[in-house]
Amino acid sequence: LFFYPNKVMKDWMSPINSNALVIPPASFVLLAFCVYGRFSGADTLAKVLFWIGAPATLLFSIVLAARWITDAHSEEHINAGWLLVPSANFVCSFVAPIMDDRYLEAAYLWFSFGVAIGVPVYVITLHKSIVFNDPDDRLRLLKWSFVAMTSVASVGNTFLTGQFSSASKVLYFISLSLGLMLGCLYLTGHYSQLKFDPTSTWSVAF
């Protein structure tokens, strides 16, 4: 981000690559989750990492969502990578209560925004994936974002409600069934001509 500002700005202006820019701040939140309770002073470090990453994730998400509405899009701009935005917010929603019980109310902010933007984007991108075959092979791996979003939404709902509720179970089995479906795409040859792309590979790794 800091060493290649021109490249970052170019990606920020891209309707496809810009969605992956929520990953760096969300990675701080995941790091906070991994660090928490691991050693002496880890809890304080984890909270610092969380409050660095979580607000930035929400800010980037709001700006990106506003740009979706502002900018004109063609069919080729719509891809499953858009789901990275709600997915990153769901990550923040389940990590927040782990950091401190007092963060529970704040966690609902990230979860609510994830639901508000994730549901319509999920429908739009899934419709595009079913009706139109992705002409760009570099974007095909991003279909695994369907699994990612529903998985972290299930985890987020579980931590917010304090139980593995019916809603959490539905989201969990949606992600499981979609994972099996996407796995079958290897058999149908859908991934047979994949092209390496740093943005999509980075996104899938997240």
Side-chain angles (χ1 to χ4, degrees):
L1 291 177
F2 298 106
F3 289 107
Y4 303 99
N6 292 333
K7 173 62 176 174
V8 172
M9 185 56 63
K10 182 180 178 180
D11 285 343
W12 177 255
M13 300 306 296
S14 168
I16 296 176
N17 295 342
S18 58
N19 303 301
L21 291 176
V22 298
I23 295 178
S27 297
F28 279 95
V29 179
L30 287 176
L31 184 59
F33 172 73
C34 294
V35 167
Y36 187 79
R38 299 297 180 182
F39 51 85
S40 177
D43 294 1
T44 301
L45 175 60
K47 290 178 181 179
V48 170
L49 291 171
F50 174 82
W51 286 112
I52 291 174
T57 299
L58 182 61
L59 177 61
F60 275 43
S61 300
I62 291 174
V63 173
L64 284 169
R67 285 184 54 197
W68 293 342
I69 298 172
T70 304
D71 298 343
H73 297 288
S74 62
E75 198 69 47
E76 65 184 20
H77 291 161
I78 301 173
N79 64 86
W82 287 27
L83 294 172
L84 291 170
V85 174
S87 298
N89 283 272
F90 287 135
V91 168
C92 296
S93 72
F94 81 76
V95 174
I98 297 175
M99 298 293 104
D100 196 314
D101 292 338
R102 294 173 295 179
Y103 297 172
L104 183 61
E105 290 295 323
Y108 276 100
L109 173 61
W110 285 284
F111 189 85
S112 299
F113 183 77
V115 171
I117 204 66
V119 171
V121 169
Y122 188 91
V123 173
I124 292 169
T125 53
L126 184 59
H127 172 266
K128 195 247 178 155
S129 295
I130 294 174
V131 178
F132 303 98
N133 191 12
D134 288 318
D136 192 342
D137 293 327
R138 295 173 300 175
L139 300 178
R140 294 189 177 188
L141 274 178
L142 289 174
K143 287 185 172 68
W144 288 97
S145 299
F146 292 120
V147 178
M149 193 195 82
T150 48
S151 297
V152 290
S154 175
V155 177
N157 187 71
T158 300
F159 275 93
L160 291 177
T161 60
Q163 59 179 339
F164 192 46
S165 62
S166 297
S168 298
K169 292 177 183 178
V170 169
L171 289 168
Y172 170 78
F173 283 107
I174 287 175
S175 65
L176 179 62
S177 58
L178 286 176
L180 294 173
M181 180 194 72
L182 292 174
C184 289
L185 294 181
Y186 285 100
L187 302 178
T188 62
H190 186 70
Y191 297 128
S192 60
Q193 295 181 341
L194 287 178
K195 295 180 181 179
F196 176 77
D197 177 66
T199 301
S200 61
T201 305
W202 183 31
S203 302
V204 172
F206 169 76

